[in-house]
Amino acid sequence: MDIISPFIGAIVEYTIHPIGRQLSYLFFIRRNIQNLKSRVETLKYLKESVLHKVNEARRNAENIESGVQNWLTKADSIIEKSETLLNNLAQQDGLCLNLVQRHKLSRKTVKLGDEVVEIKNEGNFDRVSYRVALLEVELESSKAKTSDFVNFESRKPTIDKIIGALMDDNVHKIGVYGMGGVGKTMLVKEISKLAMERKLFDEVVTSTISQTPDIKRIQGQLGDKLGLKFDQETEEGRALMLQKRLKMERRIFIVLDDVWKQIDLETIGIPSIEDQLGCKILFTSRDFSVLFNDMCADEIFEIKVLQEDETWRLFKKMGGEIVETSDLRSIAVEIARECARLPIAITTLAKTLRNKPLSIWKDALTQLKNPVVVNIRGMNEKVYSSLKLSYDQLDCEEAKLLLLLCSMFPEDCIINNVEHLHVYAMGMGFLYGVDTVTQARHRITKLVDDLISSSLLLKESTDGLGECVRMHDLIRDLAILIASKDDHIRTLSFSKGLDESWPEKEMSGDHTVVYLNVEGLCNPPKKLMLPKVQLLVLHGPLLLDRYELSKTFFQETKELKIVEIIDMEFSLETTTFHSFEKLQALHLFRCRLGNIDRIGHLNSLEILNFRGSNIRKIPMSISQLTQLKVLGLSDCSKLKVIPPNVLFNLKNLEELYLRGFDGWEREDLNEGRKNASLSELKHLVRLCVLTLWIQDENTMPKQLFSRLLNLEKFDITIGCAPRGFWSMEISRVLCLKMAETGTDIDNGINMLLKRSEELHLVGSVGARVLPFELKENETLHLKKLYIYDNSKFQHFNLEQKNPFQNVWSKLEYLKLSNLENLESIFHCDHVRGSQLNKLKVIKLLGCNKLRSLFYYSILDDLFHLEEIKIIGCAMMRTIVGNEKATEKIELASLKYLTLMDLPRLHSFFSKIEKHGQSCLDNLQPDKTSRNTDSFFNELVSLPNLVRLRIDEAHNLKMIFHNILIPNSFSKLESLWIGECNNLEKVFPSNIMSRLTCLKLLIITNCNLLEGVFEMQEPKGTKKSIDLLPSLRHLELIELPNLQYIWEDNFYELSKVKNIEKLDIRQCPKLKIEYPMKVLRQLEMLTIDLRDLKEIPLKEKTTQMLELEEMETSKDEIIPFRDGSKLFSRLKHLRLYGSFDYCQTHLPMRIVQILHNIEVFEVRKTFFEEVFPIERSWDNVEEWQNERYKLSRLNLFELPKLRYLWSGGLQKNSSIVQNLMELNVLGCGILSMSVPSSMSFRNLTWLTVRKCHKMTYLLNPSVARTLVQLRLLVLGECKRMTTVIVEGVEEENDEILFNRLDSIDLRDMLKLTSFHSGKCTIRFPCLDELAIENCPEMRDFSLGIVSTPLLLTENIGLYSETFEICPILEDSKEIYVSNINVTIRQVWEDHYDTNLRYLFEEENSEDNQCDPSSHVEE
């Protein structure tokens, strides 16, 4: 039985049970239906409960778990199936079915019931939703909506650098700063978006810090974006939770926006870098110092305002296309300009004015020009309030006052903080605890730095003129608005144009700080009605016969403390003296000074500066100014006399500027001494700043400088002329040239030598000065070293323990000039102790024995070298030499390389052979190398080279090798090649992909050059290449064998998409075509007239798309029809031709664009007129009424030119209304007769040469319009008898040349006078008159001539250095009282010589053929 039992169990299981189950379907159908109903109801209750939870989660913006969504779908499906079955069964009355149907329905009911139970069991969820990290919401939202971010071209490099910093493992903290409203937040949002898209981080979170940081709010912002819910109440507890959450992420990017002061990251909960290496933090701030000093950012990037074109692009996007309509565009452009390129202002104004009528636009423009009354929606709330936060955040009242003070300067004015601000601030009395000028300088430097760090002032490029700043226009507007409500500093800045009357209402009121640019104003008032003004700047000159103001002009300005007058006439005799009783500072810059003897009565005066004025003698009364701290006499070229003991009495002087005065006399000449001696300086023991020129070292007493122990800054030249300009960036400059034999250099000069930051050694004095002998613990401060004209100097020795090593410790700049025996710069194989690691610039001129610049072994020490300049070194063969020439060299910091007049230069890096340990003697190119023909071979790496210029290097055949090191030359922006007569190739094909940064390319006078770029593409490929995307300026000039720009590329210029300046001329073998797309974007063009005439374009070329509205047919030649469309951006146009191409008129397509041209030049054509007006023009009046921008006109070698314009144009002078410069040369039959109606009121420069038909230049009426003329040059006009012809004079007729300071008349063989009439001619500024070879000129004029500034010594001939060489014997420093008498004397002194020369000239004129004589005949 035990054996049988298992089998019986199995039989029952597999037979009896299934039979019973099948029978149960028949007998228990009602029970099965009831079970299904109850199970479905239970499932419905559960589903409703889950839905309640789901809806609650959705109301809380939580995401529903995907399993819950799937369960709800399945539950709905099974409920629907069950209810359908139950409904069908309910319709079966009493279930009277046959057995088969009964079994089938019952079985289905049971199975559905089981499925309902199974789904019900799956629906027991612990939670149905989850909270979404806020960052994900933001990302989804940003994808759904259109972003306001505009990807500006000028900001792409900054974005790329920031992304690069995020990818740099060594950078953990990044700073982004800029002024308020510049777009920092928008840019950082874009960077966050890019970081997520590029999967640089697992999480990116952002928080706004603001002026008053709320730690809990910051923690909440970060937590929300991480999906972190805080249960803790305290900041400390939340910080621990946040820190724990942040550490969970391997790579996380945290952005802290709008940081105003130092914040403790640990207090917030941000882990330290040591705790979380994958954490990067980016801060934005308006204050650089907060990022640098407080937050210790590793990399800091500045966000600047937009470019002009970007401003308009953003304005148009925000304002809509309506701004391009004809009636609105000009106003919209001005409004956009008033936004000063600040994004917040652009966006606010454009959106506010969008779809508004024209009148509202005009009113907005009016308000913007007067910031005190701006009432435009959004400007105060968004723009000014945003900017004012930076002002309010300044914790120093001095900084706030200084910012308000800066608002006095005109828009876009460059402010030299050393030159101006410390004087103004001292005089206004808001520098607390400051007693000396030096202290004031230091304080101002600190305050300016604070304002720059706060983005309230913008740092400007200085070019060696000291630290300069500028105010952003909207910051200035804000400062003016604040100052209008300030009692201490209430500013007024006024600047208007030529010929305007003095606006008395604007120039009056209770202003305390006033800047008046009165240049060109007429009719000034008798009194300046500014009773509270303390600081007054007057920038002239006025449009007057004389520059002086009335005697009562200052009568109502009794509170004056600082007066600065520029380019005007000033005399204390004509000044209401009691108005200056409180005066502390007086600046008279470039002024014509009258009598200033009474200046000694200004007892309160502390600062007196005559810089650039015409002062000839210092008044004795200055010695009475015992409170004087600053005396400035720089650039006073007329200064000849400083009376003895004047300087001696100024015991309180702290700053003395005497650069340019060389009249010192020896102290031992007591009797009859008219000038000061240098010994007087010994008694000025408070001197801190001194600029001094001692031409004759014999006038210098011994130990002159030993007592001047307080000198902080100096610029002292001894024994030679001053070299260059004093840079405020270099505090201590010494230029020394002393006799080869003589006493030893005294202790005072030795002290200056050791303290100098810039040192010039001229002649053999270098051997006596170098090397420096330093005592223990002494260091040199030398940053710049210049050595000139030393025939003995051979090299520097860098060996260890050599005294020369003291020279290099801080040296940044080295210039060696005319060192005849210089064989090598550094006499050693290796540099020890990193002696050259500060060197940035090295320049060599005229070192003719030098064969190479560096030896390979010292390159590792030159890691800061930025510039190399070598000129005129006849034996120079290579820049870097090595014995092997097989090792790679890299100058990673080199940016600028200039190589000129190096006839033997062969390569940048080459093999050399040495003899012993001496310099690099026998230089030989490595014949085994693959790179013997290229200047830069395959071993040279210059990854940061920006500018390259090579001139007169006749040995060069190739510039770049076919194989280059990766990234070498990839940052090249400018390449200039000239007069390399053996050059065959410039760019091989492999370098094209690297030239993405190239902006300027100039190649001139290379006789063998056949092509510029090699293009080697596989045959059959037709891909579009974006060549040179950054190229803006291209010049190819005098290349006689040039055949192509791009090899095998017929339509060459079409590939250059962004070219703006194009000059291709004197390339006879080059066949070039000018695509219309290129022409439309050009701003400067030089073009042959034959190329201008027509452009052949065929329909099959891909460039047909560029023709746009112009219709063509197959093979049709397309002429230039509409110049305004072809040259829509052109500003500078040069047309040239050849005398075998006889076009006699300016092409009409050029006439159509003349009103937009600013610089226009025509050369070598047969034009008969330059400005045709009536020919082929439908609407003459409309054309004449255009507003012309022409500022410079050059007419060269035009032998058929008869007149500049036809009769129709003479009725209207608008074409010359802005003309500032007119140059005419070689126009043989030109008549300059100009109608009386024409006016040249802006002309400053006029030259006329070789115009042989002219008998005179001007008539009196036109001459009277030349009120701005500064220079007049006339030469080789064989028939000219007078400059200004006699007119119909009336009594008291006068001609005033208000600003003319230089006249040059030469080779005028028939010139008899300057003016042949009797008009009175006044020259208030004339101080140079050059007359050469004018044998008939016996008189200057038949009328009265006034030349108050002209000295007899300034009448003569120009030397090669453009200095006047007196023509009169015994010329003395006396003014010309009667120029007619002086000219007669000149004629008499030179009568015989010039008369013979005249006869020779007349005889030669008959025998020689003038180039244009055939035209004239």
Side-chain angles (χ1 to χ4, degrees), residues 792-840:
K792 298 180 180 179
F793 194 88
Q794 292 186 324
H795 52 249
F796 294 102
N797 193 333
L798 297 182
E799 295 289 353
Q800 197 171 20
K801 296 184 179 179
N802 188 286
F804 267 119
Q805 65 182 341
N806 297 323
V807 175
W808 308 107
S809 60
K810 296 181 181 179
L811 196 71
E812 299 176 1
Y813 184 106
L814 175 64
K815 181 177 180 180
L816 308 176
S817 180
N818 296 326
L819 307 185
E820 297 175 6
N821 287 298
L822 183 71
E823 296 177 349
S824 65
I825 299 177
F826 306 113
H827 183 62
C828 70
D829 289 343
H830 301 282
V831 181
R832 296 175 175 86
S834 297
Q835 296 178 41
L836 301 174
N837 60 6
K838 298 285 181 67
L839 192 63
K840 294 182 179 180

Side-chain angles (χ1 to χ4, degrees), residues 676 1002 1166:
I1002 298 176
F1166 278 123

Side-chain angles (χ1 to χ4, degrees), residues 95-112:
L95 296 176
C96 298
L97 304 172
N98 60 45
L99 294 178
V100 174
Q101 289 178 322
R102 192 178 176 92
H103 176 272
K104 184 177 180 180
L105 287 173
S106 180
R107 185 171 178 268
K108 188 174 183 179
T109 301
V110 172
K111 286 190 175 183
L112 276 176

